[in-house]
């Protein structure tokens, strides 16, 4: 009887197995035509964002709906592998693509509810789901998923599948794959992640839009700690590792970008240019754009700007910070003062946009967002103030202390830009409970700081070919993405004078000629009233040589030169330096730089001054590569391409759009522009070189210990804008410092006090790789002994003479 029953059971089992096989086989044959090809699981079909790099290969920008960086299995750290295995599928390397118990549970729930409740999915199933199937929660999709999981397991090995999984999984904030997530959240590569950070990334795997470290750090911590607990139970980590990692706070990157060099302004210009030429598909086609930016020089420019603009800001005192006392309940301050951080995780009376209650920590996190400059600083809220120390809650929600020292003597209360209060004696003089503060790192210690109101523009180019080498459109891209290099047009001030003098030398004036610097009243029909110009010193110097007048930046000499030459003639010559005639002032104020030009236009003009033999338009992209590394654009101004175009002129005609450079400014019309006589620019350059080697400029520049550099400062009325444009024959740079609201930078602020020091600090680094060279005098130009009084050539016996540059035909 028992034997018969057992035989019956075996028969039923056999029939059931056969029916199951037939059902599965039939189902596969029925569904197969609607299944996508498993060979579509190929990384080549990934949406890969637009990448922007410096000329030396440093990533400075990435644009696309999906931020993705692919990695190989052997590059994945063990902690990161284990974190995802513990979170999603700890038996991945044992099963064949599906887990029967999980599927039974999922199907049971599905039968009850009529739709998929839990996936019962393995990592293999997640891969095929992410690549090949919709997210629709239907039974038929789950069946397809199972079939495709089996196919995938037969096509690829486990390591390949796991690598695909970690390269494709969405982990929140447009980050696809673990490398992109590590870059986004921690500004790290995956091989630099801590155990806690690896678990935190894995915490976003299930619900990335709801649980990720930026959007919901509180939920992310809970999920992270659960994953760490699973790793401990599975034997992936020890108890000490678990406890240490569990207590580690979240330290997310403060940068909008995870790039080692900040090139966001030029990256944004590149993004716009790529869309203009190739369309919106650049966001996913995997293009890599190699710009002309030199990462070493860009870093030096950023460092010099930060140093000098922050130093300027401190000269003008302490501005009262934003206070949050009215936005944070008094109870929170009292609890934090006794060190009770648990108060942060209690429910707040403040609701979010949906009317749901938030935790106190969420409310405070929103308040921290009022800090606009966390790229370079950490933030804090003052919790307790004593004369010699301050306790503050930092933006990682830890309580920290700040101690008084004499370095804060700079923080005199600003009454206005030119008037400051007394020196502070302790923290009571500058801080209050609830103040929102900035802190900067100095030699490993944090110090109280503030963000300057002044803005900057900094641009460098190689005069030999027009390639942009540095580009900074503002003090902080996160605060303002307005590009002050191209889009702002401040008055040029005295930095414009060298071009007036160049026009004079081109029209028969000599550097030894004298003009009387004396008071005068101008009646100009283009001016509303009579004009009594003065020199910035308030003094008049009498008859003065043109060389000396430019070195000392004498206003009246520039004006008289312009009046004698005539405005139309001068404007025509100035246009050779790229200045648009329509924007050149039609009156005598042109001589003082009353016209407004962008820093990009100014650096182009100085670049032409440095190299007038071969006019070059400014460009910022060297080449563009497709996702396979094939070059699809190469700038024709590079040497190799120039030879090809010169050899095959029809090539340029046929491929005009494809080979057209990515210009920073509209190109100059070289056909209608006569080449500037290099003798004229050499005379002007030589005077500008002397100007750097004398007076207050000398004291700032002598640290460079070079004689092959030149430049000119500029300051507009009321110090609204300060400039310095300086150059070596292989590098021209323009620095502008001012304010967006055209307010004064303060009394006793000039181009020589802000912009020039920034250039000097930059050139300390730049000159290391720039050859020291003797400037070669162009043919047709000679040094001639001239009389100091008359400026006329004299013989060697003259006692009151010096050597001056003169055109051979004038000798």
């Amino acid at each position: 009887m028992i034997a018969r029953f057992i035989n019956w059971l075996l028969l039923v089992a056999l029939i059931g197995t056969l029916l199951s096989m037939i059902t599965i086989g039939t189902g596969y044959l029925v569904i197969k035509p609607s299944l996508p090809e498993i060979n579509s699981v190929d990384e080549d079909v990934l949406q890969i964002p637009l990448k922007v790099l410096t000329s030396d290969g440093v990533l400075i920008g990435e644009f696309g709906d999906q931020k993705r960086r692919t990695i190989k299995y052997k590059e994945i750290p063990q902690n990161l592998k284990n974190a995802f295995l513990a979170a999603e599928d700890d038996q991945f390397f044992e099963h064949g693509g599906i887990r029967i118990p999980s599927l039974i549970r999922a199907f049971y729930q599905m039968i009850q509810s009529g739709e998929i409740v839990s996936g019962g999915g393995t990592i293999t199933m997640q891969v095929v789901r992410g690549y090949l199937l919709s997210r629709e929660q239907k039974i038929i999709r789950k069946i397809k998923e199972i079939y495709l999981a089996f196919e995938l397991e037969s096509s690829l090995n486990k390591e390949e599948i796991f690598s695909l999984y970690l390269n494709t999984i969405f982990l929140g904030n447009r980050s696809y794959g673990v490398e992109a997530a590590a870059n986004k959240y921690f500004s790290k590569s995956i091989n630099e992640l801590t155990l806690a950070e690896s678990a935190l990334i894995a915490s976003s795997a299930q619900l990335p839009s709801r649980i990720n470290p930026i959007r919901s750090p509180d939920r992310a911590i809970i999920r992270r700690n659960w994953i760490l607990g699973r790793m401990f139970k599975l034997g992936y980590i020890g108890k000490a590792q678990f406890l240490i990692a569990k207590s580690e706070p979240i330290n997310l990157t403060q940068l909008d970008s995870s790039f080692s060099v900040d090139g966001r302004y030029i990256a944004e210009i590149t993004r716009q240019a790529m869309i203009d030429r190739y369309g919106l598909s650049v966001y996913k086609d995997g293009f890599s754009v190699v710009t002309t930016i030199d990462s070493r020089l860009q870093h030096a420019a950023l460092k010099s700007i930060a140093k000098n603009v922050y130093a300027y800001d401190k000269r003008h005192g302490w501005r009262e910070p934003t206070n949050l006392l009215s936005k944070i309940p008094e109870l929170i301050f009292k609890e934090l003062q006794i060190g009770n951080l648990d108060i942060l995780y209690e429910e707040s009376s403040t609701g979010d946009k949906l009317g749901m209650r938030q935790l106190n920590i969420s409310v405070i996190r929103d308040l921290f967002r009022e800090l606009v400059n966390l790229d370079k600083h950490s933030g804090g809220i003052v919790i307790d103030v004593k004369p010699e120390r301050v306790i503050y809650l930092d933006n990682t929600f830890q309580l920290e202390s700040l101690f008084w020292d004499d370095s804060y003597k700079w923080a005199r209360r600003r009454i206005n830009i030119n008037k400051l209060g007394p020196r502070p004696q302790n923290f009571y003089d500058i801080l209050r409970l609830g103040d929102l503060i900035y802190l900067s790192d100095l030699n490993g210690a944090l110090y109280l700081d503030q963000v300057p109101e002044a803005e900057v523009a900094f641009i460098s180019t190689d005069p030999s070919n027009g390639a942009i080498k540095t580009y900074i459109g503002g003090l902080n891209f996160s605060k303002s993405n307005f590009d002050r290099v191209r889009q702002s047009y401040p008055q040029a001030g005295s930095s414009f004078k060298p071009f007036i003098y160049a026009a004079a030398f081109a029209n028969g004036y000599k550097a030894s000629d004298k003009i009387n610097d004396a008071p005068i009243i101008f009646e100009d029909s283009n001016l509303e009233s009579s004009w009594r110009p003065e020199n910035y010193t308030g003094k008049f110097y009498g008859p003065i040589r043109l060389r000396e007048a430019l070195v000392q930046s004498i206003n009246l000499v520039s004006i008289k030169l312009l009046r004698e030459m005539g405005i139309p003639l001068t404007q025509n010559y100035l246009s050779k330096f790229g200045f648009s005639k329509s924007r050149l002032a039609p009156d005598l104020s042109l001589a003082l730089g009353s016209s407004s030009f962008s820093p990009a236009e100014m650096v182009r003009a100085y670049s032409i001054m440095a190299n007038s033999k071969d006019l070059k338009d400014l460009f910022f992209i060297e080449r563009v590569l497709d996702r396979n590394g094939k070059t699809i654009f190469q700038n024709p101004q590079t040497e190799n391409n120039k030879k090809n175009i010169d050899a095959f002129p029809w090539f340029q005609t046929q491929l005009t759009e494809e080979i057209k450079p990515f210009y920073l400014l509209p190109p100059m019309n070289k056909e209608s522009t006569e080449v500037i006589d290099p003798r004229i620019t050499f005379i002007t350059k030589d005077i500008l070189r002397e100007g750097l080697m004398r007076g207050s400029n000398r004291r700032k520049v002598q640290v460079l210990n070079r004689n092959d550099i030149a430049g000119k400062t500029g300051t507009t009325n009321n110090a609204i804008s300060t400039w310095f444009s300086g150059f070596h024959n292989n590098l021209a740079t323009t620095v502008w410092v001012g304010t967006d609201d055209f307010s004064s930078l303060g009394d006793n602020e000039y181009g020589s006090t802000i912009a020039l020091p920034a250039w000097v600090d930059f050139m300390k680094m730049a000159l290391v790789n720039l050859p020291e060279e003797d400037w070669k005098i162009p043919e047709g130009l000679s040094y001639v002994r001239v009389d100091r009084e008359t400026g006329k050539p004299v013989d060697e016996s003259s006692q009151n003479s010096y050597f001056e540059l003169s055109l051979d035909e004038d000798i």
Side-chain angles (χ1 to χ4, degrees):
M1 186 72 180
I2 295 175
R4 187 182 299 173
F5 179 73
I6 291 173
N7 288 336
W8 181 81
L9 285 177
L10 289 174
L11 180 62
V12 171
L14 178 61
I15 293 171
T17 300
L18 289 172
L19 288 173
S20 297
M21 292 175 64
I22 293 170
T23 302
I24 292 171
T26 304
Y28 179 73
L29 292 174
V30 171
I31 292 176
K32 175 62 177 174
S34 65
L35 290 177
E37 291 295 326
I38 200 66
N39 59 14
S40 297
V41 181
D42 187 330
E43 288 184 90
D44 287 341
V45 302
L46 294 176
Q47 289 190 30
I48 302 177
L50 172 69
K51 292 181 174 64
V52 183
L53 304 103
T54 63
S55 61
D56 47 337
V58 176
L59 186 67
I60 57 173
E62 190 173 44
F63 303 96
D65 293 333
Q66 301 181 1
K67 290 192 174 182
R68 192 191 302 273
R69 295 172 194 166
T70 58
I71 53 171
K72 297 177 181 178
Y73 180 82
K74 63 182 180 180
E75 299 172 331
I76 306 169
Q78 193 61 47
N79 277 336
L80 190 60
K81 294 176 187 175
N82 290 340
F84 276 90
L85 290 172
E88 299 299 313
D89 187 358
D90 61 273
Q91 296 180 28
F92 170 73
F93 286 96
E94 285 75 48
H95 62 62
I98 64 171
R99 293 178 64 182
I100 300 299
S102 297
L103 282 176
I104 291 173
R105 182 181 67 252
F107 272 111
Y108 176 74
Q109 293 172 338
M110 187 169 56
I111 291 169
Q112 282 189 318
S113 63
E115 59 180 19
I116 296 172
V117 177
S118 64
T122 62
I123 283 177
T124 308
M125 293 170 70
Q126 291 186 51
V127 170
V128 296
R129 182 192 310 153
Y131 268 107
L132 307 173
L133 300 170
S134 71
R135 307 295 292 183
E136 189 180 9
Q137 301 291 297
K138 297 294 183 182
I139 295 175
I140 191 66
R141 197 217 72 199
K142 178 58 65 176
I143 296 173
K144 290 180 179 180
E145 203 174 289
I146 294 169
Y147 285 134
L148 287 172
F150 282 129
E151 280 198 41
L152 185 59
E153 289 274 347
S154 65
S155 300
L156 301 176
N157 63 41
K158 286 288 189 179
E159 292 182 356
E160 290 171 328
I161 295 171
F162 195 72
S163 179
L164 279 173
Y165 171 66
L166 291 189
N167 278 325
T168 60
I169 186 170
F170 176 53
L171 294 167
N173 294 288
R174 297 192 297 143
S175 298
Y176 285 76
V178 290
E179 179 69 6
N183 295 160
K184 174 64 180 177
Y185 297 130
F186 304 111
S187 291
K188 294 179 178 180
S189 179
I190 55 173
N191 56 16
E192 301 172 297
L193 294 173
T194 67
L195 170 60
E197 289 167 345
S198 297
L200 190 67
I201 287 177
S203 72
S204 299
Q206 285 195 352
L207 296 168
S209 297
R210 291 178 56 192
I211 301 178
N212 69 69
I214 291 178
R215 180 167 181 175
S216 51
D218 313 321
R219 292 192 183 105
I221 287 179
I222 294 170
R223 177 70 177 168
R224 178 201 71 178
N225 292 346
W226 179 85
I227 292 171
L228 289 169
R230 285 274 299 157
M231 293 175 75
F232 172 52
K233 290 178 182 178
L234 292 167
Y236 295 154
I237 58 175
K239 187 172 183 179
Q241 289 175 293
F242 166 62
L243 294 175
I244 292 171
K246 187 178 179 182
S247 63
E248 183 177 306
I250 294 180
N251 291 312
L252 300 181
T253 178
Q254 301 299 329
L255 286 170
D256 278 355
S257 61
S258 55
F259 311 122
S260 58
V261 176
D262 188 351
R264 286 176 287 176
Y265 284 99
I266 195 69
E268 173 59 20
I269 294 171
T270 302
R271 180 191 70 83
Q272 295 174 15
M274 289 294 291
I275 291 173
D276 287 344
R277 183 165 297 191
Y278 299 107
L280 291 173
S281 63
V282 297
Y283 284 140
K284 61 183 180 180
D285 285 347
F287 287 174
S288 293
V289 185
V290 180
T291 68
T292 57
I293 297 296
D294 183 312
S295 67
R296 188 182 66 89
L297 294 181
Q298 180 77 1
H299 179 74
L302 290 162
K303 187 176 179 180
S304 70
I305 281 293
K307 173 186 172 183
N308 288 280
V309 175
Y310 276 81
Y312 152 77
D313 187 68
K314 286 178 172 58
R315 290 199 293 271
H316 293 274
W318 173 255
R319 300 185 304 278
E320 189 172 308
T322 300
N323 190 271
L324 303 175
L325 202 57
S326 63
K327 299 181 180 180
I328 300 175
E330 184 180 357
L331 174 63
I332 294 178
F333 284 103
K334 288 182 177 179
E335 291 298 317
L336 291 175
Q337 284 169 0
I338 61 174
N340 179 21
L341 287 170
D342 292 339
I343 187 68
L344 298 175
Y345 299 94
E346 293 184 7
E347 197 172 79
S348 166
S349 59
T350 304
D352 61 15
K353 293 181 179 179
L354 298 176
M356 299 178 64
R357 290 287 182 88
Q358 301 181 82
L359 298 181
N360 288 324
I361 194 172
S362 299
V363 175
I364 294 174
R365 183 178 294 109
D366 289 340
L367 295 175
F368 270 125
R369 292 190 179 120
E370 295 187 27
L371 293 170
V372 295
N373 203 53
L374 290 184
D375 286 7
K376 299 181 178 69
H377 297 78
S378 56
I381 298 172
V382 174
I383 300 302
D384 189 35
V385 184
K386 292 290 187 288
E388 301 301 321
R389 73 101 180 94
V390 166
I391 295 176
Y392 65 92
L393 180 73
D394 70 14
N395 54 302
T396 65
F397 302 102
Q398 301 298 308
L399 291 172
E400 303 290 350
S401 296
L402 195 64
F403 296 94
W404 180 263
D405 67 37
D406 288 342
S407 66
Y408 294 126
K409 293 296 179 70
W410 68 266
R412 300 167 64 184
R413 184 173 63 88
R414 180 187 292 188
I415 298 170
N416 59 49
I417 193 67
N418 297 314
K419 187 176 181 180
L420 306 180
R423 286 187 174 182
Q425 301 304 308
N426 53 54
F427 282 125
Y428 279 161
D429 293 334
I430 55 177
L431 290 177
R432 297 177 298 154
L433 179 69
D435 278 349
L436 189 60
I437 58 175
Y438 290 97
L439 299 114
S440 60
D441 188 305
L442 183 62
N443 299 322
L446 290 177
Y447 285 84
L448 187 65
D449 205 352
Q450 66 183 10
V451 178
E453 292 179 331
E455 276 295 351
V456 301
F458 193 110
I459 179 174
S460 305
T461 182
D462 182 347
S464 68
N465 59 17
I468 301 299
K469 294 299 180 182
T470 70
Y471 198 100
I472 303 169
L475 194 61
N476 185 278
F477 188 86
S478 298
K479 176 183 174 185
S480 167
N481 59 16
F482 177 66
D483 180 6
R484 294 160 189 83
V485 170
R486 282 198 314 172
Q487 296 175 320
S488 67
Y489 296 89
Q491 288 186 332
S494 294
S495 64
F496 191 76
K497 288 177 183 174
F499 305 103
I500 299 292
Y501 281 78
F505 299 144
N507 284 284
Y509 288 84
K510 296 187 286 294
S512 58
D513 288 346
K514 286 191 172 183
I515 286 185
N516 188 23
D517 176 38
I520 190 170
I521 300 176
F522 290 103
E523 300 290 345
D524 190 329
S525 60
N526 291 308
L527 300 173
E528 294 181 359
S529 60
S530 59
W531 183 31
R532 297 172 180 263
E534 294 182 351
N535 297 320
Y536 78 94
T537 61
K539 301 176 182 179
F540 298 96
Y541 299 90
I544 187 171
R545 289 176 287 120
L546 293 187
R547 173 179 286 271
E548 188 67 18
L550 180 52
V551 167
Q552 296 195 36
S553 196
I554 304 299
N555 286 343
L556 272 80
V557 174
S558 300
I559 295 168
K560 289 181 177 180
L561 269 179
L562 177 58
R563 185 180 64 168
E564 290 178 13
M565 288 188 292
I567 291 173
L569 176 69
T570 305
Q571 288 177 327
N572 286 336
Y573 191 81
L574 293 175
S575 66
K576 295 183 179 184
F577 290 96
F579 298 118
S580 172
K581 289 183 185 179
S582 63
R583 287 171 41 220
L584 291 166
D587 54 56
L588 294 176
S589 69
L590 174 66
L592 304 185
S594 65
S595 298
S596 298
F597 295 102
S598 69
E601 291 170 313
M602 292 299 291
V603 81
R604 178 174 64 183
Y606 273 92
S607 182
I608 294 171
M609 184 76 74
N611 175 29
S612 61
K613 294 180 182 178
D614 186 13
L615 302 186
K616 297 293 185 182
D617 286 302
L618 306 185
F619 70 97
F620 58 96
I621 292 178
E622 283 185 3
R623 63 186 183 277
V624 178
L625 305 115
D626 66 15
R627 68 167 61 204
N628 298 314
K630 179 183 177 182
T631 299
I632 61 173
F633 166 83
Q634 178 73 51
N635 181 69
Q637 290 178 220
T638 57
E639 193 60 32
N640 290 337
N641 265 35
K642 190 175 187 301
K643 290 178 182 177
N644 290 336
I645 293 170
D646 290 342
F648 304 100
W650 52 265
F651 184 72
Q652 186 170 14
T653 303
Q654 291 185 352
L655 299 176
T656 301
E657 286 305 312
E658 288 82 354
I659 68 169
K660 181 181 177 182
F662 289 86
Y663 290 123
L664 184 69
L665 298 170
M668 297 179 292
N669 188 347
K670 299 183 183 69
E671 294 180 0
S672 62
T673 301
E674 295 180 19
V675 175
I676 298 173
D677 189 337
R679 299 177 301 170
I680 299 302
T681 53
F682 189 91
I683 295 171
T684 312
K685 286 166 56 177
D686 190 66
I687 297 173
L688 295 179
R689 175 167 58 178
E690 181 180 343
L692 276 191
M693 303 303 161
R694 290 174 47 186
S696 62
N697 288 345
R698 174 182 171 78
R699 292 193 292 273
K700 295 179 175 68
V701 174
Q702 64 183 354
V703 66
L704 299 177
N705 194 29
R706 293 286 284 260
N707 194 42
D708 55 349
I709 53 177
K712 182 72 179 73
T713 58
T715 308
T716 61
N717 290 340
N718 299 317
I720 290 172
S721 287
T722 61
W723 296 81
F724 183 79
S725 290
F727 55 89
H728 174 279
N729 281 339
N730 296 325
L731 188 70
T733 300
T734 289
V735 185
W736 170 86
V737 181
T739 61
D740 289 341
D741 62 1
F742 306 108
S743 58
S744 172
L745 292 173
D747 293 346
N748 301 315
E749 296 292 356
Y750 307 96
S752 60
T753 64
I754 314 176
L756 172 58
W759 180 79
V760 170
D761 285 334
F762 167 71
M763 291 299 283
K764 289 177 186 176
M765 176 68 73
L767 286 173
V768 171
N769 288 348
L770 293 176
E772 189 163 2
E773 56 188 21
D774 293 326
W775 286 2
K776 295 180 180 179
I777 301 176
E779 291 185 10
L781 184 67
S782 305
Y783 277 105
V784 178
R785 185 185 292 274
V786 298
D787 184 84
R788 288 185 181 277
E789 295 299 325
T790 66
K792 303 297 183 183
V794 294
D795 59 31
E796 294 180 1
S797 63
S798 175
Q799 298 297 311
N800 189 29
S801 63
Y802 75 102
F803 285 98
E804 182 58 89
L805 288 166
S806 181
L807 304 182
D808 287 354
E809 57 263 32
D810 293 337
I811 299 175

